[in-house]
PDB file of all heavy atoms in Angstrom:
ATOM      1  N   ASP S   1      41.158  71.674  24.345  1.00  0.00           N
ATOM      2  CA  ASP S   1      42.578  71.935  24.979  1.00  0.00           C
ATOM      3  C   ASP S   1      42.752  73.391  24.714  1.00  0.00           C
ATOM      4  O   ASP S   1      42.350  73.914  23.682  1.00  0.00           O
ATOM      5  CB  ASP S   1      43.592  71.036  24.173  1.00  0.00           C
ATOM      6  CG  ASP S   1      43.254  69.551  24.330  1.00  0.00           C
ATOM      7  OD1 ASP S   1      42.605  69.217  25.242  1.00  0.00           O
ATOM      8  OD2 ASP S   1      43.799  68.860  23.603  1.00  0.00           O
ATOM      9  N   ASN S   2      43.582  73.929  25.544  1.00  0.00           N
ATOM     10  CA  ASN S   2      44.036  75.375  25.430  1.00  0.00           C
ATOM     11  C   ASN S   2      45.332  75.385  24.647  1.00  0.00           C
ATOM     12  O   ASN S   2      46.186  76.138  24.925  1.00  0.00           O
ATOM     13  CB  ASN S   2      44.117  76.024  26.767  1.00  0.00           C
ATOM     14  CG  ASN S   2      42.758  76.279  27.335  1.00  0.00           C
ATOM     15  OD1 ASN S   2      41.807  76.393  26.567  1.00  0.00           O
ATOM     16  ND2 ASN S   2      42.696  76.147  28.609  1.00  0.00           N
ATOM     17  N   SER S   3      45.516  74.581  23.645  1.00  0.00           N
ATOM     18  CA  SER S   3      46.822  74.459  22.964  1.00  0.00           C
ATOM     19  C   SER S   3      46.773  75.611  21.817  1.00  0.00           C
ATOM     20  O   SER S   3      45.689  76.126  21.535  1.00  0.00           O
ATOM     21  CB  SER S   3      46.888  73.103  22.286  1.00  0.00           C
ATOM     22  OG  SER S   3      45.968  72.872  21.299  1.00  0.00           O
ATOM     23  N   ALA S   4      47.896  75.755  21.236  1.00  0.00           N
ATOM     24  CA  ALA S   4      48.070  76.839  20.224  1.00  0.00           C
ATOM     25  C   ALA S   4      47.590  76.353  18.787  1.00  0.00           C
ATOM     26  O   ALA S   4      47.623  77.002  17.939  1.00  0.00           O
ATOM     27  CB  ALA S   4      49.574  77.174  20.077  1.00  0.00           C
ATOM     28  N   ARG S   5      47.214  75.107  18.733  1.00  0.00           N
ATOM     29  CA  ARG S   5      46.809  74.580  17.402  1.00  0.00           C
ATOM     30  C   ARG S   5      45.427  75.055  16.915  1.00  0.00           C
ATOM     31  O   ARG S   5      44.659  75.476  17.758  1.00  0.00           O
ATOM     32  CB  ARG S   5      46.811  72.987  17.355  1.00  0.00           C
ATOM     33  CG  ARG S   5      45.564  72.481  18.083  1.00  0.00           C
ATOM     34  CD  ARG S   5      45.534  70.966  17.763  1.00  0.00           C
ATOM     35  NE  ARG S   5      44.416  70.265  18.417  1.00  0.00           N
ATOM     36  CZ  ARG S   5      43.116  70.310  18.106  1.00  0.00           C
ATOM     37  NH1 ARG S   5      42.726  71.003  16.824  1.00  0.00           N
ATOM     38  NH2 ARG S   5      42.160  69.689  18.655  1.00  0.00           N
ATOM     39  N   GLU S   6      45.191  75.020  15.647  1.00  0.00           N
ATOM     40  CA  GLU S   6      43.860  75.481  15.116  1.00  0.00           C
ATOM     41  C   GLU S   6      42.815  74.502  15.501  1.00  0.00           C
ATOM     42  O   GLU S   6      43.020  73.218  15.404  1.00  0.00           O
ATOM     43  CB  GLU S   6      43.978  75.390  13.656  1.00  0.00           C
ATOM     44  CG  GLU S   6      44.816  76.585  12.974  1.00  0.00           C
ATOM     45  CD  GLU S   6      44.108  77.931  13.065  1.00  0.00           C
ATOM     46  OE1 GLU S   6      42.842  77.927  13.063  1.00  0.00           O
ATOM     47  OE2 GLU S   6      44.859  78.877  12.792  1.00  0.00           O
ATOM     48  N   PRO S   7      41.688  74.972  16.010  1.00  0.00           N
ATOM     49  CA  PRO S   7      40.630  74.012  16.325  1.00  0.00           C
ATOM     50  C   PRO S   7      39.923  73.535  15.119  1.00  0.00           C
ATOM     51  O   PRO S   7      39.973  74.197  14.033  1.00  0.00           O
ATOM     52  CB  PRO S   7      39.674  74.860  17.240  1.00  0.00           C
ATOM     53  CG  PRO S   7      39.892  76.200  16.722  1.00  0.00           C
ATOM     54  CD  PRO S   7      41.327  76.377  16.381  1.00  0.00           C
ATOM     55  N   PHE S   8      39.206  72.465  15.177  1.00  0.00           N
ATOM     56  CA  PHE S   8      38.414  71.932  14.032  1.00  0.00           C
ATOM     57  C   PHE S   8      37.116  72.728  13.926  1.00  0.00           C
ATOM     58  O   PHE S   8      36.548  72.921  12.804  1.00  0.00           O
ATOM     59  CB  PHE S   8      38.176  70.486  14.207  1.00  0.00           C
ATOM     60  CG  PHE S   8      39.394  69.642  13.983  1.00  0.00           C
ATOM     61  CD1 PHE S   8      40.003  68.965  15.037  1.00  0.00           C
ATOM     62  CD2 PHE S   8      39.957  69.439  12.731  1.00  0.00           C
ATOM     63  CE1 PHE S   8      41.160  68.074  14.863  1.00  0.00           C
ATOM     64  CE2 PHE S   8      40.980  68.654  12.598  1.00  0.00           C
ATOM     65  CZ  PHE S   8      41.638  68.048  13.608  1.00  0.00           C
ATOM     66  N   LEU S   9      36.593  73.152  14.966  1.00  0.00           N
ATOM     67  CA  LEU S   9      35.372  73.949  15.019  1.00  0.00           C
ATOM     68  C   LEU S   9      35.619  75.333  15.582  1.00  0.00           C
ATOM     69  O   LEU S   9      36.292  75.479  16.575  1.00  0.00           O
ATOM     70  CB  LEU S   9      34.298  73.226  15.827  1.00  0.00           C
ATOM     71  CG  LEU S   9      33.970  71.807  15.515  1.00  0.00           C
ATOM     72  CD1 LEU S   9      33.003  71.259  16.382  1.00  0.00           C
ATOM     73  CD2 LEU S   9      33.275  71.853  13.942  1.00  0.00           C
ATOM     74  N   LEU S  10      35.027  76.439  14.814  1.00  0.00           N
ATOM     75  CA  LEU S  10      35.034  77.719  15.346  1.00  0.00           C
ATOM     76  C   LEU S  10      33.609  78.004  16.042  1.00  0.00           C
ATOM     77  O   LEU S  10      32.531  77.869  15.298  1.00  0.00           O
ATOM     78  CB  LEU S  10      35.130  78.674  14.161  1.00  0.00           C
ATOM     79  CG  LEU S  10      36.503  78.436  13.341  1.00  0.00           C
ATOM     80  CD1 LEU S  10      36.524  79.457  12.127  1.00  0.00           C
ATOM     81  CD2 LEU S  10      37.706  78.644  14.202  1.00  0.00           C
ATOM     82  N   VAL S  11      33.662  78.136  17.283  1.00  0.00           N
ATOM     83  CA  VAL S  11      32.435  78.326  17.918  1.00  0.00           C
ATOM     84  C   VAL S  11      32.329  79.672  18.690  1.00  0.00           C
ATOM     85  O   VAL S  11      33.215  80.123  19.337  1.00  0.00           O
ATOM     86  CB  VAL S  11      32.378  77.207  19.054  1.00  0.00           C
ATOM     87  CG1 VAL S  11      31.049  77.326  19.891  1.00  0.00           C
ATOM     88  CG2 VAL S  11      32.547  75.732  18.504  1.00  0.00           C
ATOM     89  N   THR S  12      31.118  80.218  18.485  1.00  0.00           N
ATOM     90  CA  THR S  12      30.892  81.588  19.107  1.00  0.00           C
ATOM     91  C   THR S  12      29.480  81.408  19.862  1.00  0.00           C
ATOM     92  O   THR S  12      28.952  80.345  19.820  1.00  0.00           O
ATOM     93  CB  THR S  12      30.691  82.733  18.135  1.00  0.00           C
ATOM     94  OG1 THR S  12      29.502  82.572  17.361  1.00  0.00           O
ATOM     95  CG2 THR S  12      31.930  82.928  17.211  1.00  0.00           C
ATOM     96  N   ARG S  13      29.075  82.443  20.451  1.00  0.00           N
ATOM     97  CA  ARG S  13      27.790  82.369  21.227  1.00  0.00           C
ATOM     98  C   ARG S  13      26.629  82.246  20.248  1.00  0.00           C
ATOM     99  O   ARG S  13      25.595  81.558  20.625  1.00  0.00           O
ATOM    100  CB  ARG S  13      27.579  83.591  22.062  1.00  0.00           C
ATOM    101  CG  ARG S  13      28.557  83.607  23.360  1.00  0.00           C
ATOM    102  CD  ARG S  13      28.349  84.917  24.148  1.00  0.00           C
ATOM    103  NE  ARG S  13      28.048  85.033  25.434  1.00  0.00           N
ATOM    104  CZ  ARG S  13      27.484  84.236  26.272  1.00  0.00           C
ATOM    105  NH1 ARG S  13      26.998  83.002  25.789  1.00  0.00           N
ATOM    106  NH2 ARG S  13      27.385  84.420  27.460  1.00  0.00           N
ATOM    107  N   GLN S  14      26.863  82.767  19.086  1.00  0.00           N
ATOM    108  CA  GLN S  14      25.730  82.546  18.016  1.00  0.00           C
ATOM    109  C   GLN S  14      25.863  81.601  16.936  1.00  0.00           C
ATOM    110  O   GLN S  14      24.863  81.035  16.516  1.00  0.00           O
ATOM    111  CB  GLN S  14      25.584  83.961  17.351  1.00  0.00           C
ATOM    112  CG  GLN S  14      25.095  85.036  18.171  1.00  0.00           C
ATOM    113  CD  GLN S  14      26.214  85.719  19.059  1.00  0.00           C
ATOM    114  OE1 GLN S  14      27.409  85.744  18.675  1.00  0.00           O
ATOM    115  NE2 GLN S  14      25.917  86.208  20.196  1.00  0.00           N
ATOM    116  N   THR S  15      27.177  81.256  16.575  1.00  0.00           N
ATOM    117  CA  THR S  15      27.344  80.419  15.382  1.00  0.00           C
ATOM    118  C   THR S  15      28.368  79.301  15.673  1.00  0.00           C
ATOM    119  O   THR S  15      29.256  79.357  16.621  1.00  0.00           O
ATOM    120  CB  THR S  15      27.824  81.175  14.209  1.00  0.00           C
ATOM    121  OG1 THR S  15      29.116  81.794  14.508  1.00  0.00           O
ATOM    122  CG2 THR S  15      26.857  82.216  13.833  1.00  0.00           C
ATOM    123  N   ILE S  16      28.312  78.304  14.812  1.00  0.00           N
ATOM    124  CA  ILE S  16      29.246  77.063  14.877  1.00  0.00           C
ATOM    125  C   ILE S  16      29.583  76.965  13.368  1.00  0.00           C
ATOM    126  O   ILE S  16      28.795  76.861  12.491  1.00  0.00           O
ATOM    127  CB  ILE S  16      28.585  75.815  15.447  1.00  0.00           C
ATOM    128  CG1 ILE S  16      28.122  76.187  16.868  1.00  0.00           C
ATOM    129  CG2 ILE S  16      29.625  74.780  15.399  1.00  0.00           C
ATOM    130  CD1 ILE S  16      27.328  75.017  17.452  1.00  0.00           C
ATOM    131  N   GLN S  17      30.858  76.685  13.102  1.00  0.00           N
ATOM    132  CA  GLN S  17      31.373  76.464  11.762  1.00  0.00           C
ATOM    133  C   GLN S  17      32.663  75.602  11.825  1.00  0.00           C
ATOM    134  O   GLN S  17      33.359  75.691  12.746  1.00  0.00           O
ATOM    135  CB  GLN S  17      31.700  77.819  11.091  1.00  0.00           C
ATOM    136  CG  GLN S  17      32.347  77.771   9.730  1.00  0.00           C
ATOM    137  CD  GLN S  17      32.523  79.005   9.121  1.00  0.00           C
ATOM    138  OE1 GLN S  17      32.680  80.056   9.797  1.00  0.00           O
ATOM    139  NE2 GLN S  17      32.694  79.116   7.860  1.00  0.00           N
ATOM    140  N   VAL S  18      32.794  74.912  10.770  1.00  0.00           N
ATOM    141  CA  VAL S  18      34.055  74.157  10.572  1.00  0.00           C
ATOM    142  C   VAL S  18      35.207  75.064  10.180  1.00  0.00           C
ATOM    143  O   VAL S  18      34.980  76.004   9.491  1.00  0.00           O
ATOM    144  CB  VAL S  18      33.999  73.043   9.429  1.00  0.00           C
ATOM    145  CG1 VAL S  18      35.273  72.491   9.149  1.00  0.00           C
ATOM    146  CG2 VAL S  18      32.991  71.941   9.938  1.00  0.00           C
ATOM    147  N   ASN S  19      36.297  75.060  10.962  1.00  0.00           N
ATOM    148  CA  ASN S  19      37.419  75.885  10.598  1.00  0.00           C
ATOM    149  C   ASN S  19      38.009  75.498   9.333  1.00  0.00           C
ATOM    150  O   ASN S  19      38.531  74.414   9.099  1.00  0.00           O
ATOM    151  CB  ASN S  19      38.462  75.726  11.810  1.00  0.00           C
ATOM    152  CG  ASN S  19      39.663  76.601  11.665  1.00  0.00           C
ATOM    153  OD1 ASN S  19      39.805  77.357  10.659  1.00  0.00           O
ATOM    154  ND2 ASN S  19      40.421  76.667  12.679  1.00  0.00           N
ATOM    155  N   PRO S  20      37.974  76.399   8.310  1.00  0.00           N
ATOM    156  CA  PRO S  20      38.541  76.200   7.015  1.00  0.00           C
ATOM    157  C   PRO S  20      40.090  75.918   7.056  1.00  0.00           C
ATOM    158  O   PRO S  20      40.616  75.495   6.088  1.00  0.00           O
ATOM    159  CB  PRO S  20      38.159  77.389   6.251  1.00  0.00           C
ATOM    160  CG  PRO S  20      37.944  78.465   7.230  1.00  0.00           C
ATOM    161  CD  PRO S  20      37.428  77.832   8.491  1.00  0.00           C
ATOM    162  N   HIS S  21      40.732  76.331   8.060  1.00  0.00           N
ATOM    163  CA  HIS S  21      42.139  76.168   8.245  1.00  0.00           C
ATOM    164  C   HIS S  21      42.545  74.959   8.955  1.00  0.00           C
ATOM    165  O   HIS S  21      43.849  74.677   9.014  1.00  0.00           O
ATOM    166  CB  HIS S  21      42.832  77.375   8.882  1.00  0.00           C
ATOM    167  CG  HIS S  21      42.456  78.641   8.285  1.00  0.00           C
ATOM    168  ND1 HIS S  21      42.908  78.989   6.995  1.00  0.00           N
ATOM    169  CD2 HIS S  21      41.702  79.658   8.603  1.00  0.00           C
ATOM    170  CE1 HIS S  21      42.472  80.165   6.603  1.00  0.00           C
ATOM    171  NE2 HIS S  21      41.699  80.596   7.561  1.00  0.00           N
ATOM    172  N   SER S  22      41.658  74.049   9.466  1.00  0.00           N
ATOM    173  CA  SER S  22      42.004  72.836  10.082  1.00  0.00           C
ATOM    174  C   SER S  22      42.375  71.828   9.177  1.00  0.00           C
ATOM    175  O   SER S  22      42.025  71.930   7.862  1.00  0.00           O
ATOM    176  CB  SER S  22      40.785  72.300  11.058  1.00  0.00           C
ATOM    177  OG  SER S  22      39.712  72.168  10.216  1.00  0.00           O
ATOM    178  N   GLN S  23      43.083  70.862   9.545  1.00  0.00           N
ATOM    179  CA  GLN S  23      43.466  69.771   8.769  1.00  0.00           C
ATOM    180  C   GLN S  23      42.392  68.626   8.781  1.00  0.00           C
ATOM    181  O   GLN S  23      42.269  67.892   9.692  1.00  0.00           O
ATOM    182  CB  GLN S  23      44.878  69.083   9.219  1.00  0.00           C
ATOM    183  CG  GLN S  23      45.976  70.141   9.230  1.00  0.00           C
ATOM    184  CD  GLN S  23      46.397  70.506   7.838  1.00  0.00           C
ATOM    185  OE1 GLN S  23      46.579  69.528   6.899  1.00  0.00           O
ATOM    186  NE2 GLN S  23      46.366  71.793   7.661  1.00  0.00           N
ATOM    187  N   MET S  24      41.716  68.623   7.591  1.00  0.00           N
ATOM    188  CA  MET S  24      40.510  67.692   7.579  1.00  0.00           C
ATOM    189  C   MET S  24      40.373  67.120   6.092  1.00  0.00           C
ATOM    190  O   MET S  24      40.545  67.892   5.243  1.00  0.00           O
ATOM    191  CB  MET S  24      39.334  68.473   7.953  1.00  0.00           C
ATOM    192  CG  MET S  24      38.030  67.659   8.085  1.00  0.00           C
ATOM    193  SD  MET S  24      36.533  68.679   8.580  1.00  0.00           S
ATOM    194  CE  MET S  24      37.139  69.574  10.065  1.00  0.00           C
ATOM    195  N   THR S  25      40.089  65.880   6.017  1.00  0.00           N
ATOM    196  CA  THR S  25      39.862  65.335   4.692  1.00  0.00           C
ATOM    197  C   THR S  25      38.496  64.610   4.814  1.00  0.00           C
ATOM    198  O   THR S  25      38.109  63.943   5.685  1.00  0.00           O
ATOM    199  CB  THR S  25      40.889  64.233   4.511  1.00  0.00           C
ATOM    200  OG1 THR S  25      42.184  64.723   4.495  1.00  0.00           O
ATOM    201  CG2 THR S  25      40.660  63.514   3.104  1.00  0.00           C
ATOM    202  N   LEU S  26      37.655  64.841   3.818  1.00  0.00           N
ATOM    203  CA  LEU S  26      36.324  64.365   3.725  1.00  0.00           C
ATOM    204  C   LEU S  26      36.153  63.714   2.307  1.00  0.00           C
ATOM    205  O   LEU S  26      36.411  64.348   1.317  1.00  0.00           O
ATOM    206  CB  LEU S  26      35.350  65.548   3.850  1.00  0.00           C
ATOM    207  CG  LEU S  26      33.835  65.103   3.655  1.00  0.00           C
ATOM    208  CD1 LEU S  26      33.326  64.104   4.769  1.00  0.00           C
ATOM    209  CD2 LEU S  26      32.899  66.274   3.801  1.00  0.00           C
ATOM    210  N   ASP S  27      35.753  62.431   2.340  1.00  0.00           N
ATOM    211  CA  ASP S  27      35.542  61.738   1.110  1.00  0.00           C
ATOM    212  C   ASP S  27      34.581  62.398   0.102  1.00  0.00           C
ATOM    213  O   ASP S  27      34.655  62.394  -1.094  1.00  0.00           O
ATOM    214  CB  ASP S  27      35.257  60.298   1.288  1.00  0.00           C
ATOM    215  CG  ASP S  27      33.947  59.932   2.013  1.00  0.00           C
ATOM    216  OD1 ASP S  27      33.424  60.934   2.700  1.00  0.00           O
ATOM    217  OD2 ASP S  27      33.505  58.907   2.038  1.00  0.00           O
ATOM    218  N   VAL S  28      33.532  63.039   0.706  1.00  0.00           N
ATOM    219  CA  VAL S  28      32.396  63.555  -0.160  1.00  0.00           C
ATOM    220  C   VAL S  28      33.138  64.766  -0.874  1.00  0.00           C
ATOM    221  O   VAL S  28      32.876  64.977  -2.094  1.00  0.00           O
ATOM    222  CB  VAL S  28      31.392  64.180   0.746  1.00  0.00           C
ATOM    223  CG1 VAL S  28      30.343  64.963  -0.098  1.00  0.00           C
ATOM    224  CG2 VAL S  28      30.668  62.902   1.463  1.00  0.00           C
ATOM    225  N   THR S  29      33.910  65.580  -0.298  1.00  0.00           N
ATOM    226  CA  THR S  29      34.616  66.693  -0.930  1.00  0.00           C
ATOM    227  C   THR S  29      35.488  66.234  -2.191  1.00  0.00           C
ATOM    228  O   THR S  29      35.440  66.722  -3.135  1.00  0.00           O
ATOM    229  CB  THR S  29      35.440  67.496   0.041  1.00  0.00           C
ATOM    230  OG1 THR S  29      34.606  67.949   1.131  1.00  0.00           O
ATOM    231  CG2 THR S  29      36.096  68.661  -0.623  1.00  0.00           C
ATOM    232  N   THR S  30      36.284  65.048  -1.830  1.00  0.00           N
ATOM    233  CA  THR S  30      37.036  64.498  -2.855  1.00  0.00           C
ATOM    234  C   THR S  30      36.311  64.005  -4.003  1.00  0.00           C
ATOM    235  O   THR S  30      36.582  64.230  -5.193  1.00  0.00           O
ATOM    236  CB  THR S  30      37.949  63.393  -2.271  1.00  0.00           C
ATOM    237  OG1 THR S  30      38.694  63.835  -1.167  1.00  0.00           O
ATOM    238  CG2 THR S  30      38.940  62.802  -3.217  1.00  0.00           C
ATOM    239  N   PHE S  31      35.226  63.320  -3.788  1.00  0.00           N
ATOM    240  CA  PHE S  31      34.210  62.861  -4.767  1.00  0.00           C
ATOM    241  C   PHE S  31      33.759  63.988  -5.660  1.00  0.00           C
ATOM    242  O   PHE S  31      33.877  63.938  -6.836  1.00  0.00           O
ATOM    243  CB  PHE S  31      33.122  62.125  -4.134  1.00  0.00           C
ATOM    244  CG  PHE S  31      31.929  61.705  -5.024  1.00  0.00           C
ATOM    245  CD1 PHE S  31      32.173  60.742  -6.031  1.00  0.00           C
ATOM    246  CD2 PHE S  31      30.772  62.327  -5.045  1.00  0.00           C
ATOM    247  CE1 PHE S  31      31.115  60.445  -7.004  1.00  0.00           C
ATOM    248  CE2 PHE S  31      29.722  62.049  -5.937  1.00  0.00           C
ATOM    249  CZ  PHE S  31      29.907  61.051  -6.876  1.00  0.00           C
ATOM    250  N   LEU S  32      33.333  64.987  -5.076  1.00  0.00           N
ATOM    251  CA  LEU S  32      32.811  66.205  -5.691  1.00  0.00           C
ATOM    252  C   LEU S  32      33.905  66.875  -6.553  1.00  0.00           C
ATOM    253  O   LEU S  32      33.505  67.264  -7.774  1.00  0.00           O
ATOM    254  CB  LEU S  32      32.118  67.238  -4.802  1.00  0.00           C
ATOM    255  CG  LEU S  32      30.812  66.730  -4.031  1.00  0.00           C
ATOM    256  CD1 LEU S  32      30.484  67.698  -3.021  1.00  0.00           C
ATOM    257  CD2 LEU S  32      29.821  66.574  -5.116  1.00  0.00           C
ATOM    258  N   GLN S  33      35.013  67.029  -5.999  1.00  0.00           N
ATOM    259  CA  GLN S  33      36.169  67.697  -6.755  1.00  0.00           C
ATOM    260  C   GLN S  33      36.409  66.880  -7.964  1.00  0.00           C
ATOM    261  O   GLN S  33      36.582  67.440  -9.028  1.00  0.00           O
ATOM    262  CB  GLN S  33      37.470  67.847  -5.905  1.00  0.00           C
ATOM    263  CG  GLN S  33      37.205  68.857  -4.863  1.00  0.00           C
ATOM    264  CD  GLN S  33      38.356  68.933  -3.865  1.00  0.00           C
ATOM    265  OE1 GLN S  33      39.113  67.912  -3.683  1.00  0.00           O
ATOM    266  NE2 GLN S  33      38.497  70.021  -3.085  1.00  0.00           N
ATOM    267  N   GLN S  34      36.503  65.527  -7.881  1.00  0.00           N
ATOM    268  CA  GLN S  34      36.810  64.694  -9.012  1.00  0.00           C
ATOM    269  C   GLN S  34      35.736  64.736 -10.100  1.00  0.00           C
ATOM    270  O   GLN S  34      36.042  64.811 -11.222  1.00  0.00           O
ATOM    271  CB  GLN S  34      37.113  63.272  -8.572  1.00  0.00           C
ATOM    272  CG  GLN S  34      38.202  63.015  -7.666  1.00  0.00           C
ATOM    273  CD  GLN S  34      39.552  63.374  -8.376  1.00  0.00           C
ATOM    274  OE1 GLN S  34      39.808  62.987  -9.444  1.00  0.00           O
ATOM    275  NE2 GLN S  34      40.384  64.186  -7.707  1.00  0.00           N
ATOM    276  N   VAL S  35      34.500  64.808  -9.700  1.00  0.00           N
ATOM    277  CA  VAL S  35      33.329  65.007 -10.587  1.00  0.00           C
ATOM    278  C   VAL S  35      33.553  66.373 -11.326  1.00  0.00           C
ATOM    279  O   VAL S  35      33.382  66.357 -12.606  1.00  0.00           O
ATOM    280  CB  VAL S  35      31.928  64.829  -9.936  1.00  0.00           C
ATOM    281  CG1 VAL S  35      30.886  65.247 -10.847  1.00  0.00           C
ATOM    282  CG2 VAL S  35      31.750  63.353  -9.500  1.00  0.00           C
ATOM    283  N   GLN S  36      33.782  67.350 -10.579  1.00  0.00           N
ATOM    284  CA  GLN S  36      33.768  68.745 -11.231  1.00  0.00           C
ATOM    285  C   GLN S  36      35.037  68.825 -12.204  1.00  0.00           C
ATOM    286  O   GLN S  36      34.918  69.423 -13.160  1.00  0.00           O
ATOM    287  CB  GLN S  36      33.950  69.801 -10.140  1.00  0.00           C
ATOM    288  CG  GLN S  36      32.723  70.048  -9.429  1.00  0.00           C
ATOM    289  CD  GLN S  36      32.928  70.931  -8.202  1.00  0.00           C
ATOM    290  OE1 GLN S  36      34.004  71.201  -7.785  1.00  0.00           O
ATOM    291  NE2 GLN S  36      31.700  71.295  -7.585  1.00  0.00           N
ATOM    292  N   GLN S  37      36.139  68.042 -11.916  1.00  0.00           N
ATOM    293  CA  GLN S  37      37.207  68.166 -12.745  1.00  0.00           C
ATOM    294  C   GLN S  37      37.222  67.213 -14.001  1.00  0.00           C
ATOM    295  O   GLN S  37      38.006  67.156 -14.837  1.00  0.00           O
ATOM    296  CB  GLN S  37      38.509  67.741 -11.981  1.00  0.00           C
ATOM    297  CG  GLN S  37      38.848  68.869 -10.963  1.00  0.00           C
ATOM    298  CD  GLN S  37      40.032  68.444  -9.923  1.00  0.00           C
ATOM    299  OE1 GLN S  37      40.501  67.177 -10.054  1.00  0.00           O
ATOM    300  NE2 GLN S  37      40.222  69.215  -8.923  1.00  0.00           N
ATOM    301  N   GLY S  38      36.074  66.410 -13.891  1.00  0.00           N
ATOM    302  CA  GLY S  38      35.826  65.389 -15.106  1.00  0.00           C
ATOM    303  C   GLY S  38      36.644  64.086 -14.947  1.00  0.00           C
ATOM    304  O   GLY S  38      36.713  63.313 -15.854  1.00  0.00           O
ATOM    305  N   ASN S  39      37.223  63.928 -13.781  1.00  0.00           N
ATOM    306  CA  ASN S  39      37.991  62.641 -13.500  1.00  0.00           C
ATOM    307  C   ASN S  39      36.950  61.619 -12.973  1.00  0.00           C
ATOM    308  O   ASN S  39      36.933  61.298 -11.802  1.00  0.00           O
ATOM    309  CB  ASN S  39      39.113  62.958 -12.390  1.00  0.00           C
ATOM    310  CG  ASN S  39      40.085  63.856 -12.896  1.00  0.00           C
ATOM    311  OD1 ASN S  39      40.338  63.902 -14.084  1.00  0.00           O
ATOM    312  ND2 ASN S  39      40.586  64.613 -11.939  1.00  0.00           N
ATOM    313  N   LEU S  40      36.048  61.160 -13.854  1.00  0.00           N
ATOM    314  CA  LEU S  40      34.969  60.322 -13.436  1.00  0.00           C
ATOM    315  C   LEU S  40      35.344  58.984 -12.898  1.00  0.00           C
ATOM    316  O   LEU S  40      34.742  58.567 -11.938  1.00  0.00           O
ATOM    317  CB  LEU S  40      34.052  60.245 -14.629  1.00  0.00           C
ATOM    318  CG  LEU S  40      33.400  61.652 -15.155  1.00  0.00           C
ATOM    319  CD1 LEU S  40      32.468  61.253 -16.200  1.00  0.00           C
ATOM    320  CD2 LEU S  40      32.750  62.399 -14.066  1.00  0.00           C
ATOM    321  N   ALA S  41      36.340  58.414 -13.501  1.00  0.00           N
ATOM    322  CA  ALA S  41      36.775  57.050 -12.940  1.00  0.00           C
ATOM    323  C   ALA S  41      37.272  57.280 -11.469  1.00  0.00           C
ATOM    324  O   ALA S  41      37.075  56.361 -10.695  1.00  0.00           O
ATOM    325  CB  ALA S  41      37.732  56.459 -13.850  1.00  0.00           C
ATOM    326  N   HIS S  42      38.098  58.369 -11.280  1.00  0.00           N
ATOM    327  CA  HIS S  42      38.511  58.495  -9.898  1.00  0.00           C
ATOM    328  C   HIS S  42      37.394  58.900  -8.902  1.00  0.00           C
ATOM    329  O   HIS S  42      37.437  58.470  -7.849  1.00  0.00           O
ATOM    330  CB  HIS S  42      39.608  59.761  -9.933  1.00  0.00           C
ATOM    331  CG  HIS S  42      40.894  59.256 -10.569  1.00  0.00           C
ATOM    332  ND1 HIS S  42      41.345  59.813 -11.711  1.00  0.00           N
ATOM    333  CD2 HIS S  42      41.865  58.440 -10.109  1.00  0.00           C
ATOM    334  CE1 HIS S  42      42.445  59.365 -11.982  1.00  0.00           C
ATOM    335  NE2 HIS S  42      42.802  58.432 -11.032  1.00  0.00           N
TER     336      HIS S  42
END
């Protein structure tokens, strides 16, 4: 869409990347953050 919202993917002719400013939740990221913070039960 040509909307004004932030896209989930940043695409150029050479590269593709997840937009760090998009609204996204990933369970793997949450798991890793909890491990790093020592919240092992969580």
Side-chain angles (χ1 to χ4, degrees):
D1 301 340
N2 291 328
S3 64
R5 75 166 180 82
E6 290 279 342
F8 289 106
L9 300 175
L10 301 175
V11 179
T12 70
R13 287 175 129 334
Q14 293 81 27
T15 63
I16 303 166
Q17 178 180 17
V18 168
N19 184 350
H21 303 293
S22 63
Q23 297 295 312
M24 189 179 305
T25 305
L26 174 63
D27 62 345
V28 173
T29 303
T30 305
F31 170 72
L32 291 171
Q33 287 171 344
Q34 293 299 312
V35 168
Q36 289 171 351
Q37 294 170 2
N39 299 327
L40 302 181
H42 288 112

